[in-house]
Amino acid sequence: MVTSEGRALVREKQLILISSDGLTGERFFLGVDSEGTAYFAVVGEPKPEPEAELAHLFEVGVELSPRDGRLFAQALGLVQWHADHRFSPSTGEPTVIEQGGWVRREANGGLHFPRTDPAVIMLVHDGVPGPEGRALLGSGALWPAQGVRRYSTLAGFVEPGETAEAAVAREVFEEAGVGIRKITYFGSQPHPYPRSLMLGFTALGDPQEPIVIDPEELADARWFTRDEVRAVKDRVSDAFRLPNRSSISYRLVLHWLDTL
């Protein structure tokens, strides 16, 4: 696949994969499938294809097959890592690509490997079943204004020396001032913007506890009932917007709506 500024060619919900013969630009090995076909990411401007468009993963990820979604996410993370590690952090000298793009070597022989930054993303709810059960959602302070405000689950990076569960509790308290309990792991999702792994959790909180937002992180945070969230999800209401459907945040919301 060819990537250009974080985008790839997509047609009819499929990645356009072409032979790498004759392509110029850096290429990175992505793996081999069960039939022996090798896949590479090539950095460059792809040639136009009929009825195809350049798209970001967050725009089309929910529509892609599992294979295409994995290839796209892997390519984005690897390409961005190489773009950020062309020079040694200790000497400033250029590094070179080895092992199909899975290593960068310094002039002195030192090796650097692709990095993944762990982050946590969590849906905090009150544990109440039925339509009146509530979940805490926030709207990011840096999100561009697009008419109706979007609300999502809270998230943040894991800090050095911290467990993922401790990061969940800290981030919720720092961003919204709410204490939580019963932190439960849900699942994970690659988030190659530029190279994170989102670790999803649910947790219990008390809607009676005052929300105190960090204005540098959130523009707003509120408790929403299941009825309110389901109405937006089913497009009965446009009172606010939910997370992108390709995100683990959206999956956490659906999990709360339908099973918790």
Side-chain angles (χ1 to χ4, degrees), residues 13 16 19 53 71 93 101 144 146 154 204 206 210 232 254:
K13 302 179 182 180
I16 294 180
S19 171
E53 62 177 352
L71 285 174
E93 295 183 2
Q146 296 177 336
L154 305 185
L204 293 180
D206 184 0
V232 172
L254 294 186

Side-chain angles (χ1 to χ4, degrees), residues 33-100:
D33 66 18
S34 59
E35 298 178 355
T37 301
Y39 296 90
F40 294 84
V42 180
V43 181
E45 192 66 26
K47 295 180 180 180
E49 293 278 344
E51 300 180 3
E53 62 177 352
L54 279 169
H56 291 282
L57 178 60
F58 62 79
E59 296 174 316
V60 297
V62 70
E63 299 174 339
L64 297 177
S65 68
R67 184 206 66 173
D68 284 1
R70 287 193 295 268
L71 285 174
F72 204 159
Q74 185 182 17
L76 287 184
L78 199 55
V79 166
Q80 185 61 52
W81 177 75
H82 279 282
D84 293 343
H85 288 79
R86 297 187 181 277
F87 300 92
S88 166
S90 57
T91 68
E93 295 183 2
T95 57
V96 296
I97 299 171
E98 292 188 0
Q99 298 186 27

Side-chain angles (χ1 to χ4, degrees), residues 73-251:
Q74 185 182 17
L76 287 184
L78 199 55
V79 166
Q80 185 61 52
W81 177 75
H82 279 282
D84 293 343
H85 288 79
R86 297 187 181 277
F87 300 92
S88 166
S90 57
T91 68
E93 295 183 2
T95 57
V96 296
I97 299 171
E98 292 188 0
Q99 298 186 27
W102 290 91
V103 167
R104 292 194 77 99
R105 182 183 293 273
E106 296 193 27
N108 63 9
L111 302 180
H112 296 273
F113 300 90
R115 193 182 92 190
T116 297
D117 298 324
V120 291
I121 185 164
M122 43 277 176
L123 187 137
V124 179
H125 64 101
D126 62 0
V128 175
E132 294 305 313
R134 288 180 283 181
L136 177 65
L137 302 176
S139 184
L142 299 180
W143 293 351
Q146 296 177 336
V148 178
R149 186 180 294 279
R150 174 162 59 96
Y151 286 84
S152 182
T153 52
L154 305 185
F157 285 102
V158 180
E159 295 184 347
E162 190 174 49
T163 66
E165 291 81 1
V168 169
R170 174 183 55 76
E171 286 288 347
V172 173
F173 187 77
E174 287 180 354
E175 293 188 1
V178 174
I180 59 173
R181 65 189 190 282
K182 198 175 180 182
I183 300 168
T184 304
Y185 179 69
F186 169 77
S188 63
Q189 180 184 54
H191 190 76
Y193 307 106
R195 52 181 163 272
S196 300
L197 176 66
M198 304 300 292
L199 307 173
F201 292 85
T202 61
L204 293 180
D206 184 0
Q208 301 303 315
E209 193 172 347
I211 293 175
V212 182
I213 66 169
D214 177 354
E216 293 187 0
E217 296 286 345
L218 298 177
D220 189 32
R222 290 175 47 193
W223 289 91
F224 293 89
T225 67
R226 272 194 181 82
D227 272 354
E228 290 176 308
V229 174
R230 195 180 302 280
V232 172
K233 178 251 181 185
D234 293 340
R235 299 183 180 179
V236 175
S237 167
D238 60 357
F240 58 95
R241 293 190 298 133
L242 288 173
N244 188 292
R245 290 192 303 131
S246 65
S247 67
I248 189 172
S249 180
Y250 188 76
R251 286 167 47 205

